[in-house]
Amino acid sequence: MPTSSAQHQHRLPQHLLRAREAVMAYFRPLLNSVGLTEQQWRILRLLDDRGEMEAGVIADLACILSPSLTGILVRMEKAGLIHRSRDKVDSRRLIVSLSLEGRQLTREVAPLSNACYRQIEAHFGEEKLELLISLLNELEQLPAPVAVTEDKPQLTEADL
Amino acid sequence: MPTSSAQHQHRLPQHLLRAREAVMAYFRPLLNSVGLTEQQWRILRLLDDRGEMEAGVIADLACILSPSLTGILVRMEKAGLIHRSRDKVDSRRLIVSLSLEGRQLTREVAPLSNACYRQIEAHFGEEKLELLISLLNELEQLPAPVAVTEDKPQLTEADL
DNA sequence: CGCAGAATGTTAAGATATTAATCACATTGA
DNA sequence: TCAATGTGATTAATATCTTAACATTCTGCG
C-alpha cells in the first residue's frame, strides 16, 4: 500500500523556513559583500537602533541562544565592530556597545538593506506584506506548549 | 542624537524566524524525546510520504543544502534509519530509502507530531492558519533577486 | 573516439544551533 | 554571616549552516 495517510500535512515550519530562505536570498549578497553574517547584522542594527544593551537582551531580540551569542560577540569585538564590558554593579552582566567602525558600517549598509526590503515589498505587495507580518506577529505569541512526552503527570488546568 | 532614522523597519526575516521558533517549540520536545533532529524528521517524513528518492530531491524538498545533507544522511544510516545506495545507471546519484526501523519510528511519531500541529491550529485558528500558509506560499515564489553589490554598475532608480 | 563542460556529491573550514554542564557572581533567608 | 538558591554568561560536545573548492561521473559534440 502507498504509505501513511499523510493527510497532506500543512508543514507550517517548512513553509516558514522556505519563505525565510526566499527572503534572505535578497539580503545575503549584500551581507556577504561587506563580510557580515546574518546574526552579526541583526546585532549591529539592534545596537544602532537602541543603543548599548546587555547580552541577554540581544539574545532575546535577535533570536540567538546565549551559547551562540558568546562566540559571535567575541568575533565581532575581534573584528572591531563592538565593545564588550561588564556591568559595574552586577559583574555577571555583559554590556555590549557599538564601536565607531561598527556604527559607520551599520549606517553605510542600512540603506542598502532597506533597498532590498523595498524590492521584496514591490514584488509581494505592500498590503499583503502588512497582513503577513501581522499574522506572523500573532503566531509569535503562541502560548508555550504543554509537555506531552514527559514522565511528569501532565499539567492540568488546576496548576494555573 | 538618538540614532539612525530607523523608520521602524519591518524586519520580515526576524518575524519569520521568531514565528518559526514559536512553532518549533511545540515540536521540539517530541523530537528530542525520540532522539531526532528537526532535519532528520523532515527527511524521514519525506521518505515515508513519497518513497525512496535521490539526495538532491531531498535537499530541495527539505530545505537542506547538500553539504549538510551529506553528513546528516551518513549519521542517519549509522543510526539504522535509512539505506544509502548509488543509482545503477548514473552512479553520481545517491538513492536514499527508509529502513524498516526508520519506517516504524516515523509512523510511530507521525501521529504525535500531528497532534502538536492540531494544538497550534487550535490556538491560532484554522482559517487564519490557512491564510498564513497561503501567504507564505506566495512569498516562497519571490523571483530571485538581481545582484546589487557586484562590479556591475549599481542599479539606479532609472532601472525600475 | 575523445574531450570540454555540466551535473551530483563530497570535503574543507569557519560560523552558528542546540543541549547540558559549569563558573562566577548575586540575592535571599535563617 | 553563611548556606541555599538563582541568575547571567561561558564551556563543551555534537549537529547543522554556509561558501568555496574538489572529485566523479555523465553528456554532448566535434
Side-chain angles (χ1 to χ4, degrees):
Chain A
M1 286 291 79
T3 51
S4 71
S5 52
Q7 64 228 188
H8 250 237
Q9 301 227 197
H10 293 290
R11 301 184 195 282
L12 179 56
Q14 290 261 41
H15 280 294
L16 290 166
L17 192 55
R18 286 174 170 289
R20 187 161 195 283
E21 271 316 296
V23 169
M24 286 315 299
Y26 279 70
F27 294 97
R28 238 188 280 277
L30 170 58
L31 295 182
N32 283 342
S33 78
V34 294
L36 290 173
T37 67
E38 295 177 30
Q39 294 80 354
Q40 292 176 339
W41 175 239
R42 271 184 263 156
I43 294 171
L44 286 181
R45 239 192 350 201
L46 269 180
L47 291 173
D48 188 44
D49 282 356
R50 313 167 61 143
E52 73 174 29
M53 55 178 79
E54 49 185 279
V57 179
I58 294 180
D60 283 345
L61 296 179
C63 279
I64 298 175
L65 296 178
S66 26
S68 302
L69 190 57
T70 296
I72 295 175
L73 292 180
V74 168
R75 282 182 287 272
M76 288 179 78
E77 181 172 55
K78 195 171 302 178
L81 296 172
I82 61 169
H83 298 304
R84 296 187 314 152
S85 63
R86 291 287 173 176
D87 185 307
K88 305 289 188 198
V89 351
D90 184 344
S91 65
R92 287 172 306 181
R93 298 169 191 279
L94 182 69
I95 307 295
V96 183
S97 60
L98 226 43
S99 71
L100 267 179
E101 306 149 64
R103 187 179 309 279
Q104 280 179 214
L105 180 59
T106 304
R107 296 190 177 178
E108 174 189 336
V109 173
L112 301 175
S113 166
N114 291 340
C116 291
Y117 188 81
R118 282 192 297 274
Q119 254 189 292
I120 295 172
E121 201 175 45
H123 281 302
F124 193 67
E126 197 171 344
E127 315 79 17
K128 266 200 305 193
L129 206 46
E130 293 290 342
L131 175 57
L132 173 57
I133 287 180
S134 80
L135 285 171
L136 291 174
N137 236 320
E138 282 188 69
L139 193 54
E140 295 168 31
Q141 314 298 327
L142 272 183
V146 271
V148 182
T149 49
E150 291 309 321
D151 33 31
K152 303 178 180 180
Q154 285 275 20
L155 294 191
T156 70
E157 291 77 328
D159 297 329
L160 310 177
Chain B
M1 288 295 80
T3 51
S4 70
S5 52
Q7 63 228 185
H8 250 238
Q9 302 225 194
H10 293 291
R11 301 184 195 284
L12 179 56
Q14 289 262 40
H15 280 294
L16 290 166
L17 192 56
R18 286 174 170 289
R20 187 160 196 282
E21 271 317 296
V23 169
M24 285 315 299
Y26 279 71
F27 294 97
R28 237 187 279 278
L30 170 58
L31 295 182
N32 283 342
S33 77
V34 295
L36 290 173
T37 67
E38 295 177 30
Q39 295 80 354
Q40 293 175 339
W41 175 239
R42 271 183 263 155
I43 293 171
L44 286 181
R45 237 189 355 198
L46 269 180
L47 291 174
D48 188 44
D49 282 358
R50 312 167 63 143
E52 72 175 30
M53 54 178 78
E54 49 185 277
V57 178
I58 295 180
D60 283 346
L61 296 178
C63 278
I64 298 174
L65 295 179
S66 28
S68 302
L69 190 57
T70 296
I72 295 175
L73 292 179
V74 168
R75 283 183 285 274
M76 287 179 78
E77 182 172 54
K78 195 171 301 178
L81 296 172
I82 60 168
H83 297 303
R84 295 187 315 153
S85 64
R86 289 289 173 174
D87 186 307
K88 305 289 186 197
V89 352
D90 184 344
S91 65
R92 288 172 304 181
R93 298 167 190 280
L94 182 69
I95 306 294
V96 183
S97 60
L98 225 44
S99 72
L100 268 179
E101 307 150 65
R103 186 180 310 280
Q104 281 178 214
L105 179 59
T106 305
R107 296 189 177 179
E108 175 188 336
V109 172
L112 301 175
S113 166
N114 291 340
C116 290
Y117 188 82
R118 281 193 297 275
Q119 253 189 293
I120 295 173
E121 200 174 45
H123 281 303
F124 193 66
E126 197 171 343
E127 315 79 19
K128 265 199 306 191
L129 207 45
E130 293 290 342
L131 175 57
L132 172 56
I133 287 180
S134 80
L135 285 171
L136 290 174
N137 236 320
E138 283 188 69
L139 193 54
E140 295 168 31
Q141 314 298 328
L142 272 183
V146 271
V148 182
T149 49
E150 294 309 320
D151 34 31
K152 303 177 181 181
Q154 283 277 13
L155 295 190
T156 70
E157 290 77 326
D159 297 330
L160 310 177

